[in-house]
Amino acid sequence: CTMEAAANLRIGVLGLGGILGEVVVVIPGSVLDLKYTIQTAFDVPVVEQQLVIDSSELHDNDELQSCFSQNGTVTLIRTSQAERAEWRRVLQQQPLELARAPGWCRSDPELVHTAVSADPRALEFASESLRASKKIVLGAVRQEGLVIRFADVSLRGDLKTVRTAVRSNPQALKYVSASLRRNKSIVLEAVRRA
């Protein structure tokens, strides 16, 4: 559903214990905007919110108009700071545990950064939006270029990201966009590093 002008969207918010209430957000807008509205209305910090529609988690950069064609309902799952701290500890010691982490954890930039810093292969288990984060992906490919295969397609076509990956591991070239596989400077970089 595409909407040209700004409009209001009414969204019912359900907690695990039942109905919390309703919020009104302006569209166009993002899920992050909705989270800030929920924070104001129900005093739940954005960092503790996981929003779900029909068992599908919403991501901060999702556009509201793609999530709701009209007024709707979202389920709010709240995560505690203690739970977040426990996941931070687990991911520092066993970064590939990100694979079994809840969705809110795989969407948390700080927790994903913790996991990827300890083992760049953890990038595979990050949320879609964080696999499109240049900062997160660059951190991973600096350590191991082959993990570029887990990055969003947009970053597999990004010159800086690809160059960094190829410098780390020339074999990363096989996972980058076709246009950059034909890029003379990228190919020469891979040959020099091989």
Side-chain angles (χ1 to χ4, degrees):
C1 175
T2 57
M3 300 186 182
E4 309 262 329
N8 288 337
L9 184 64
R10 293 186 176 285
I11 299 175
V13 181
L14 303 175
L16 296 180
I19 298 170
L20 294 176
E22 184 177 85
V23 294
V24 176
V25 292
V26 176
I27 52 174
S30 68
V31 169
L32 186 59
D33 297 326
L34 172 58
K35 286 183 175 183
Y36 278 111
T37 302
I38 290 171
Q39 175 178 281
T40 302
F42 304 112
D43 199 30
V44 178
V46 168
V47 67
E48 295 182 11
Q49 295 180 38
Q50 178 184 9
L51 300 180
V52 178
I53 297 177
D54 298 328
S55 78
S56 295
E57 182 178 358
L58 302 181
H59 303 286
D60 288 351
N61 60 351
D62 291 345
E63 292 297 320
L64 288 174
Q65 52 272 40
S66 68
C67 302
F68 302 92
S69 58
Q70 53 187 328
N71 299 337
T73 304
V74 66
T75 301
L76 167 65
I77 300 171
R78 185 173 185 170
T79 58
S80 71
Q81 290 300 318
E83 185 177 13
R84 194 167 185 272
E86 176 60 18
W87 272 108
R88 184 179 305 107
R89 186 192 63 73
V90 167
L91 295 173
Q92 286 170 337
Q93 297 171 3
Q94 299 171 314
L96 296 180
E97 284 295 300
L98 190 61
R100 70 173 189 83
W104 66 265
C105 187
R106 293 190 316 269
S107 297
D108 183 303
E110 181 186 335
L111 293 178
V112 169
H113 175 74
T114 296
V116 168
S117 294
D119 187 333
R121 296 174 299 164
L123 181 64
E124 177 180 5
F125 308 112
S127 69
E128 185 178 320
S129 63
L130 290 182
R131 284 184 279 120
S133 164
K134 193 169 185 174
K135 180 179 179 181
I136 296 283
V137 172
L138 277 171
V141 300
R142 274 189 194 102
Q143 296 178 71
E144 174 49 70
L146 290 177
V147 299
I148 197 167
R149 71 179 178 261
F150 304 125
D152 183 78
V153 66
S154 64
L155 291 176
R156 286 184 270 142
D158 176 73
L159 187 62
K160 180 178 181 179
T161 305
V162 167
R163 187 179 311 280
T164 303
V166 168
R167 284 180 177 157
S168 173
N169 188 328
Q171 292 180 16
L173 190 61
K174 63 184 165 187
Y175 299 109
V176 306
S177 70
S179 64
L180 287 181
R181 281 195 307 266
R182 292 188 301 268
N183 180 293
K184 185 178 178 181
S185 69
I186 294 293
V187 172
L188 286 173
E189 186 72 45
V191 170
R192 273 194 295 265
R193 303 284 178 170

